[in-house]
Amino acid sequence: LSRSMIANVHLHSVDLSHNPIGPDGMHMFVEPLFHNECIERLIVNDVQLGARGGRYISEIIHYNNSITDLDASSNNLGSKGAAEIGSALCNTFSLRRLKMGYNNIGDKGLKQLASGMTRNKSLQILDICNNNIGPPGIKQFALLMEDITSALQVLDLSNNFLAAEGCRELMEHM
């Protein structure tokens, strides 16, 4: 499958959701996705990537300029996986939508993800729902986002732990 992806100019979307491929399985798709410039949508929702899989997602984002929509939800990426993806966001100008809900990135992971977004001018939709993010993470995120010109139009922070303090921080700095 992965070799046929390189030459397939008709393939625009790949959905591997709910398959327990793990980081080793994801690694097999990295190189073919580097070379296929037709795939616009990659869905790897609940494929058990873990933090190590975040590195492979990062490589795909960094090297593939055709992917505009990426769903990496429910993979327990944690703060380390979020940091990997954040570093790739600095260098991509094609990604428009990133879904990373249910990954337990926490406050630290949000800060690292936001650091990568400071140079990103293409991301319009960011879904980071259900990630154990609290007021400290929101404050760091808002402060980083305050000073940049971002294309971000939709931010999904649902089912985190913002409380009134987190809402105040978000409104003061964004």
Side-chain angles (χ1 to χ4, degrees):
L1 176 65
S2 63
R3 285 187 211 160
S4 67
M5 286 174 55
I6 293 173
N8 190 334
V9 296
H10 303 291
L11 187 63
H12 295 280
S13 180
V14 175
D15 186 347
L16 301 170
S17 295
H18 310 292
N19 286 293
I21 64 171
D24 294 332
M26 192 73 233
H27 180 70
M28 292 180 211
F29 284 93
V30 171
E31 187 176 345
L33 285 170
F34 285 174
H35 302 289
N36 185 312
E37 295 182 9
C38 296
I39 295 177
E40 298 170 352
R41 187 172 190 217
L42 177 61
I43 305 167
V44 288
N45 178 15
D46 189 24
V47 296
Q48 302 176 6
L49 294 178
R52 202 176 93 205
R55 186 176 97 226
Y56 300 129
I57 294 293
S58 172
E59 290 176 11
I60 291 167
I61 293 171
H62 181 77
Y63 291 104
N64 184 305
N65 293 319
S66 65
I67 295 177
T68 60
D69 186 350
L70 173 63
D71 183 349
S73 300
S74 301
N75 278 297
N76 200 28
L77 296 171
S79 62
K80 289 181 182 178
E84 293 282 357
I85 293 170
S87 69
L89 288 175
C90 292
N91 302 309
T92 183
F93 303 102
S94 60
L95 194 64
R96 306 275 182 263
R97 180 176 178 236
L98 177 59
K99 292 184 71 173
M100 286 187 50
Y102 300 90
N103 273 303
N104 198 29
I105 67 171
D107 295 335
K108 183 179 178 184
L110 180 59
K111 180 182 179 187
Q112 294 166 323
L113 188 66
S115 292
M117 290 176 60
T118 57
R119 294 194 309 209
N120 183 290
K121 306 283 189 250
S122 63
L123 193 65
Q124 298 171 348
I125 300 168
L126 177 62
D127 177 349
I128 47 176
C129 68
N130 290 286
N131 268 303
N132 297 316
I133 298 166
I138 288 300
K139 180 177 183 175
Q140 294 170 342
F141 176 78
L143 286 169
L144 283 168
M145 299 304 289
E146 181 179 48
D147 297 325
I148 66 167
T149 306
S150 173
L152 195 62
Q153 298 171 4
V154 177
L155 176 61
D156 185 348
L157 287 163
S158 61
N159 295 312
N160 282 291
F161 302 102
L162 303 186
E165 180 186 348
C167 291
R168 184 177 52 255
E169 295 292 349
L170 192 60
M171 292 300 107
E172 282 180 14
H173 299 288
M174 286 194 79

